[in-house]
Amino acid sequence: MSRFLNKKYSCLEPYTPGEQPRDMKYIKLNTNESPFPPSPKVIEAVSREASMQNLYPDPTGKALCESIARLHSVNPENVTLSNGSDELLAFVFMALSENGIAFPDISYGFYPVYAKVFGTDAVKVPLHEDFSIKAEDYYNAGRTVLIANPNAPTGMALSRDEIEKIVKNNAENLVVIDEAYVDFGAESAVPLTKKYDNILVIGTYSKSRSLAGARLGYAIASKEIIADLNRMIFSFNPYNVNRLALVAGYHATEDVDYFNACVKKIISARAWTAKELENMGFSVLPSSANFVFAKKEGISGEKIYTRLKEKGVLVRYFSGKRVSDFVRITIGTHEQMEILIEKCKEVLNEEA
Ligand SMILES: *Cc1c(COP(=O)(O)O)cnc(C)c1O
């Protein structure tokens, strides 16, 4: 630390991203990326757009906002874009949580980091014994409510009806739904944004749309909430979404067939993987995401992670009382999952 850092930041504990090894000797099942490249239409359009990199991008991202609006049957004024959905989440803490924020105690690891950096008073609401979120726990929160649906790292989802109950019972508070994984089998809360003015849905192109490297996120809400977010964006970094990401996002949204095919393959590989893990004696939480959260009696998450890494497969483990038994395994291609299962069998045999 230099002597120049503002003292209020000296205690920050930054978010630790999953390993991003440079050499691709690993099967990478640790950061919930898509195993599939972007749609060929995306790659072609990005190559064309590359020659325009001398010019600033459209700061409103109009073409992409319109495409997202069509996809979700909302108006373009109900949509805004960001440099990864993490950026929009930052604005939630910075600007939309004056009375504090509540989120589950086991959820996306970035939430507590944002609470710290922006000095947002955070209440962590415990998940239930079975790792579920109960709508009632968030009624009349007296502060902003933030829920990842499906939740991470559990993969478990609330129905749209449950989300609606939370929104209805927080008329005076904003309810933010982080839908990073929604396309893998959960119900989107976007239709609720047409009925209620206190819900904000945040999505990303990093998971189901194969664009983690492009950094692209979006928000859908009432036009007033979107105007507030734009006020923040234009007070901080007006060109937050770069030219290549805008074009990539547009074609990723428009190529519906490619998107559907990728999601279908992930869902099928997830079902296969969960069954194989269960046959091996793992307990696997019911996942609506592109990962499974699994544990095996008698072996810690860290141990499984370490042993799998030696065998060339990267997964993620977590510290903390209720999660240290688990590993979070991203669903890759079917071939990758076959290797994972084979390596897991080896690990269990060697540990026995
Ligand atoms: C991956 C993830 C994000 C962030 O996605 P980016 O758009 O890549 O910033 C947000 N929320 C959750 C729960 C995630 O898992």
Side-chain angles (χ1 to χ4, degrees), residues 84-86 89 108 111 148 152 178 180-181 204 206-207 215-216:
S85 60
D86 287 339
L89 289 165
Y108 187 31
Y111 300 158
D178 177 352
Y181 301 104
T204 178
S206 295
K207 282 50 190 251
R215 312 303 303 124
L216 181 62

Side-chain angles (χ1 to χ4, degrees), residues 88-104 111 115 120-125 137-147 166-167 169-178 198-202 225 228-229:
L88 282 165
L89 289 165
F91 289 131
V92 166
F93 284 80
M94 191 192 292
L96 296 173
S97 303
E98 198 171 0
N99 297 321
I101 195 161
F103 50 79
Y111 300 158
T120 315
D121 182 55
V123 168
K124 294 179 188 169
V125 182
D137 295 346
Y138 294 86
Y139 289 178
N140 305 311
R143 50 181 67 226
T144 295
V145 171
L146 170 58
I147 291 176
I166 297 174
V167 174
N169 286 283
N170 276 292
E172 297 308 313
N173 309 308
L174 178 65
V175 176
V176 182
I177 307 298
D178 177 352
N198 63 321
I199 175 168
L200 163 61
V201 177
I202 294 178
I225 294 174
D228 292 342
L229 288 170

Side-chain angles (χ1 to χ4, degrees), residues 267-305:
I267 291 174
S268 137
R270 178 181 72 206
W272 182 85
T273 306
K275 194 161 71 47
E276 290 290 321
L277 287 169
E278 280 166 356
N279 289 345
M280 244 184 278
F282 277 86
S283 346
V284 185
L285 296 189
S287 174
S288 304
N290 67 337
F291 55 84
V292 288
F293 203 46
K295 69 169 176 180
K296 172 94 167 84
E297 192 82 36
I299 180 163
S300 72
E302 183 174 8
K303 183 91 191 174
I304 297 175
Y305 155 83

Side-chain angles (χ1 to χ4, degrees), residues 15 31-32 82-87 89 107-111 114 148-152 178-181 202-207 211-212 215-218 291 328:
Y15 178 70
T31 52
N32 298 343
S82 61
N83 187 322
S85 60
D86 287 339
E87 189 182 46
L89 289 165
S107 194
Y108 187 31
F110 224 135
Y111 300 158
Y114 280 140
N149 193 47
N151 195 17
D178 177 352
E179 296 197 341
Y181 301 104
I202 294 178
T204 178
Y205 279 66
S206 295
K207 282 50 190 251
L211 286 176
R215 312 303 303 124
L216 181 62
Y218 60 92
F291 55 84
R328 190 195 69 190

